[in-house]
């Protein structure tokens, strides 16, 4: 990331240049104008602004994900079959992923029309307020079916906010980055994922231990299920206030400012990106696909499988014990995100991600060897070192595949539709790779065995490898002059 605005140059965009009215006819592009009174933005401010927002957003998301496994099946759904309650809870978890592409279109429109700064503030508020309100909801035993209905609505609203958050934070990092250092600069918002996980699940662990909650034999009238579970949701509002303070002090990114100076905005970014960059949308969606599948297997699904009852074919590990193991795994996730940024800048996006995707296929094919109850053990006899090793390998691969994505996806799109395009690709992939994954994985374990969950990951990784093979190498792409696949073919 640069301490100052990069030198200006030709600012031709991939789409047809258009004025505020969004006219589609070709127009001459004026030379880029560098404002004489621009003040350099400190690198530390850009780092903090891109990191703190995603940390808060992912904290909110993981607080819900943890509660969806350990709390919501007990208090938001009618008492009955445990497996059915878990699947219903996973379905509400997936509602946010349906909302995320809608959020990417909504916030992407304003991000490409009005700028990155104001849009990032809006996405943070949307997510934060929805999370806070979940902490105030009545339960099924208080208001009946209204409880899961309201929970689903607020989960959907969470998804809207996160749909606009990630792409804005990624653009903030990449559009300030030094030449040849974009993947390393763009890894900062990616670190928000493990940081948010540490905050959310670390807080849950403290509460579980402090109030003696046993997930394998929950006390429905105990303090944890009565009111303590609400605290992580309510406390999120303080974090939102900190994030707002940091983001209000931001400046617009230099790349977007040059697009403004050259009058390159389009009236309808979503229409423009579908018309000119539909191929990049498809590629970006499936490049990200296996990353989502791996992540939600290694966080949400593995939690439900690990703490699930042994009589249902799961491992029966106490929640508090497994959460400690999961936090150890997340440390590997955080450690390998910077490594992936360096690799992607040193060797290129495609070679790095193709190699990691191949390793993910091998990892998926080995799930039965790691996780079968006969191998792993159950309850008090669980093989703790083997589980730690499984989590460490999975999360190492997660760091290596997730780290470069905030550079790869923005590099596919021109400045005047970059917020919209990268956001749609990222969040449509979330429906395919994340919303379905915990539900499908839980179903596969119930119908077959845990090895089929690994086959699911292997198949997803193979699909991503095909998308990567068809994608351009973007390591040296000029963000001011990114073009569509059609225009690159025409130029050749």
């Amino acid at each position: 990331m640069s301490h100052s605005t990069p030198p200006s140059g030709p600012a031709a965009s991939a789409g047809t240049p258009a004025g505020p009215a969004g006219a589609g006819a070709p127009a001459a592009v004026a030379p880029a104008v560098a404002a004489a009174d621009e003040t350099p933005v400190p690198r530390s401010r850009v780092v903090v602004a891109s990191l703190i927002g995603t940390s808060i957003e992912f904290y909110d998301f993981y607080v819900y994900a943890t509660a969806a496994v350990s709390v919501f099946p007990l208090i938001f759904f009618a008492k009955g079959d445990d497996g059915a309650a878990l699947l219903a809870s996973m379905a509400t978890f997936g509602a946010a992923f349906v909302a995320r592409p809608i959020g990417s279109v909504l916030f992407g429109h304003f991000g490409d029309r009005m700028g990155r700064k104001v849009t990032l503030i809006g996405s943070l508020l949307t997510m934060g307020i929805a999370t806070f309100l979940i902490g105030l909801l009545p339960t099924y035993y208080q208001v009946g079916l209204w409880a899961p209905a309201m929970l689903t609505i607020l989960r959907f609203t969470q998804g809207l906010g996160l749909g606009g958050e990630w792409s804005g934070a990624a653009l903030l990092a990449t559009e300030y980055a030094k030449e040849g250092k974009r993947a390393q600069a763009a890894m900062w918002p990616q670190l928000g994922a493990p940081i948010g996980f540490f905050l959310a699940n670390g807080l849950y662990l403290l509460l579980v231990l402090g109030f003696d909650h046993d997930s394998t034999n929950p006390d429905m009238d105990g303090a944890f299920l009565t009111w303590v579970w609400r605290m992580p949701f309510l406390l999120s509002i303080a974090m939102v206030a900190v994030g707002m303070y940091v983001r209000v002090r931001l400046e617009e990114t230099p790349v977007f400012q040059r697009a403004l100076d050259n009058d390159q905005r389009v009236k309808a970014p979503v229409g423009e990106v579908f018309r000119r960059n539909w191929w990049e949308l498809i590629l970006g969606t499936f490049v990200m696909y296996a990353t989502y599948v791996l992540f939600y297997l290694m966080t949400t699904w593995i939690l439900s499988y690990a703490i699930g009852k042994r009589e249902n074919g799961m491992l029966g590990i106490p929640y508090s014990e497994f959460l400690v193991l999961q936090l150890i795994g997340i440390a590997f996730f955080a450690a390998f995100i910077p490594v992936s940024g360096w690799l992607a800048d040193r060797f290129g996006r495609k070679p790095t991600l193709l190699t990691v995707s191949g390793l993910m296929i091998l990892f998926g094919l080995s799930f039965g060897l790691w996780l079968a109850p006969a191998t792993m053990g159950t309850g008090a006899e669980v093989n703790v070192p083997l589980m730690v090793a499984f989590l460490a390998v999975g999360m190492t691969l997660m760091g290596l595949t997730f780290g470069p994505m905030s550079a790869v996806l923005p590099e596919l799109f021109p400045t005047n539709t970059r917020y919209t395009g990268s956001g749609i690709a990222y969040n449509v992939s979330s429906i395919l790779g994340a919303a379905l994954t915990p539900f499908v994985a839980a179903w596969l374990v119930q119908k077959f065995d845990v090895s089929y969950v690994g086959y699911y990951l292997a198949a997803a990784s193979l699909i991503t490898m095909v998308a990567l093979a068809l994608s351009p190498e973007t390591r040296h792409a000029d963000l001011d002059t990114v073009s569509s696949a059609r225009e690159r073919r025409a130029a050749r």
Side-chain angles (χ1 to χ4, degrees):
M1 259 178 259
S2 175
H3 286 265
S4 59
T5 303
S8 59
S13 80
T16 301
V29 181
V33 179
D37 59 347
E38 278 184 342
T39 302
V41 176
R43 179 176 183 270
S44 59
R45 186 182 302 175
V46 176
V47 168
V48 171
S50 62
L51 175 61
I52 194 169
T54 53
S55 298
I56 294 169
E57 300 279 4
F58 280 108
Y59 166 86
D60 290 353
F61 222 64
Y62 298 150
V63 161
Y64 189 102
T66 302
V69 171
S70 60
V71 176
F72 294 161
L74 301 173
I75 64 174
F76 277 97
F77 299 95
K79 188 171 179 59
D81 179 70
D82 291 340
L86 176 61
L87 290 176
S89 183
M90 288 299 186
T92 65
F93 174 76
F97 295 98
V98 177
R100 283 171 64 165
I102 300 173
S104 67
V105 171
L106 175 65
F107 288 104
H109 175 85
F110 292 108
D112 286 324
R113 289 287 299 163
M114 300 175 62
R116 302 358 182 174
K117 173 181 174 177
V118 65
T119 309
L120 280 166
I121 292 173
S123 67
L124 181 64
L125 283 175
T126 301
M127 183 86 174
I129 292 172
T131 303
F132 178 77
L133 291 177
I134 288 174
L136 300 177
L137 285 179
T139 69
Y140 175 86
Y141 301 98
Q142 294 170 314
V143 296
L145 293 176
W146 284 106
M150 289 186 288
L151 179 66
T152 303
I153 291 171
L154 290 176
R155 177 61 174 171
F156 188 88
T157 306
Q158 273 192 319
L160 288 177
L162 190 56
E165 167 60 31
W166 178 86
S167 50
L171 266 56
L172 182 66
T174 57
E175 291 183 347
Y176 269 109
K178 291 180 180 179
E179 180 68 25
K181 301 287 186 181
R182 273 202 302 266
Q184 294 171 75
M187 69 91 183
W188 288 107
Q190 304 302 76
L191 277 174
I195 290 173
F197 191 98
F198 270 118
L199 292 174
N201 289 283
L203 179 56
Y204 259 117
L205 177 61
L206 291 175
L207 294 175
V208 165
L209 294 175
F211 289 88
D212 198 27
H213 174 65
D214 182 1
S215 63
T216 61
N217 186 28
D219 179 5
M220 296 300 297
D221 297 318
F224 188 86
L225 291 177
T226 303
W227 62 272
V228 172
W229 70 267
R230 302 177 183 274
M231 293 177 63
F233 292 92
L234 298 176
L235 290 173
S236 68
I237 202 68
M239 299 173 64
V240 171
V242 174
M244 284 290 295
Y245 171 76
V246 173
R247 288 191 167 175
V248 165
R249 301 177 68 236
L250 281 177
E251 303 292 338
E252 195 50 80
T253 70
V255 174
F256 184 76
Q257 187 60 53
R258 288 197 293 275
L260 289 180
D261 294 339
N262 288 294
D263 204 21
Q264 290 180 293
R265 286 183 299 174
V266 292
K267 184 177 181 180
V270 65
E272 185 78 5
V273 79
F274 273 103
R275 184 165 67 91
R276 294 187 175 275
N277 295 96
W278 58 270
W279 179 240
E280 286 79 9
L281 286 174
I282 294 172
L283 290 178
T285 296
F286 288 102
V287 163
M288 188 71 199
Y289 174 55
T291 301
Y292 266 122
V293 172
L294 176 63
F295 184 68
Y296 283 92
L297 287 179
M298 297 304 300
T299 54
T300 304
W301 169 76
I302 191 62
L303 176 62
S304 67
Y305 178 73
I307 71 174
K309 295 181 179 179
R310 285 179 285 181
E311 55 265 33
N312 293 335
M314 303 185 201
L315 301 181
I317 304 172
Y319 172 67
S320 59
E321 294 179 17
F322 183 73
L323 196 51
V324 173
L325 306 184
Q326 210 169 21
L327 289 171
I328 294 172
I330 291 293
F332 287 85
F333 179 23
F336 278 88
I337 286 177
V339 174
S340 71
W342 180 84
L343 291 171
D345 278 335
R346 176 66 178 82
F347 299 105
R349 284 51 164 149
K350 286 180 65 172
T352 299
L353 292 173
L354 282 168
T355 301
V356 177
S357 297
L359 294 173
M360 287 164 59
I361 291 176
L362 297 177
F363 180 59
L365 295 176
S366 70
F367 262 44
L369 301 176
W370 293 96
L371 294 176
T375 304
M376 182 63 71
T378 59
E381 288 77 39
V382 72
N383 188 330
V384 173
L386 184 62
M387 178 59 80
V388 170
F390 172 79
L391 294 172
V393 171
M395 283 302 181
T396 294
L397 292 172
M398 183 61 207
L400 291 173
T401 185
F402 186 60
M405 289 300 174
S406 55
V408 171
L409 297 188
E411 288 169 349
L412 292 173
F413 300 94
T415 302
N416 57 7
T417 58
R418 184 169 295 134
Y419 203 126
T420 303
S422 61
I424 290 175
Y426 182 84
N427 290 297
V428 170
S429 184
S430 75
I431 294 180
L432 302 175
L436 298 177
T437 290
F439 184 92
V440 171
W443 180 83
L444 287 171
V445 171
Q446 289 181 18
K447 291 295 181 181
F448 303 102
D449 61 64
V450 71
S451 62
Y452 282 79
V453 179
Y455 302 153
Y456 180 67
L457 172 62
S461 301
L462 182 60
I463 292 171
T464 285
M465 287 189 77
V466 173
L468 285 166
L470 296 172
S471 299
E473 174 57 62
T474 56
R475 176 172 38 154
H476 298 300
D478 183 345
L479 292 184
D480 286 314
T481 58
V482 172
S483 59
S484 67
R486 181 177 63 182
E487 289 163 335
R488 289 195 298 273
R489 287 194 300 270
R492 288 196 296 268

